[in-house]
Amino acid sequence: MKNLVKVIIPVAAFMLASAGAVSTNVNSSTKSTAVAIQGWNRISPNEPCTELRMCNNVGSTICTLSGVQAFEKVGANCTKELYHKN
């Protein structure tokens, strides 16, 4: 009986540690993934949007080019703020 406990406890500890490592790795890899999103310039509500620059929507800095803020195009409107982290 003592031999069985000596074998089961390390196996259970290994399984628990492996599960923790796998779940930690998945979370860290999804946070660092940045997808390029086209940023658009919103001149006025009556004019169509024009391409401005690529943004990655990561971080808390608003995506701009030469002081002009970039927006995500949703339908025909460019109203959703984009963020960028270099």
Side-chain angles (χ1 to χ4, degrees), residues 5 12 16 21 26 30-31 43 54 71 80:
V5 172
L16 183 62
V26 169
T30 56
K31 287 181 182 175
I43 299 169
M54 296 303 287
F71 294 91
K80 186 176 177 185

Side-chain angles (χ1 to χ4, degrees), residues 17-34:
S18 297
V22 168
S23 65
T24 301
N25 188 20
V26 169
N27 289 336
S28 65
S29 67
T30 56
K31 287 181 182 175
S32 65
T33 303

Side-chain angles (χ1 to χ4, degrees), residues 25-60:
N25 188 20
V26 169
N27 289 336
S28 65
S29 67
T30 56
K31 287 181 182 175
S32 65
T33 303
V35 176
I37 300 172
Q38 178 64 52
W40 298 83
N41 182 12
R42 181 177 64 184
I43 299 169
S44 75
N46 299 331
E47 295 183 40
C49 303
T50 58
E51 290 184 17
L52 185 62
R53 70 167 287 184
M54 296 303 287
C55 305
N56 59 20
N57 228 13
V58 174
S60 59

Side-chain angles (χ1 to χ4, degrees), residues 58-72:
V58 174
S60 59
T61 304
I62 292 177
C63 184
T64 61
L65 178 66
S66 300
V68 178
Q69 185 175 354
F71 294 91
E72 182 177 353

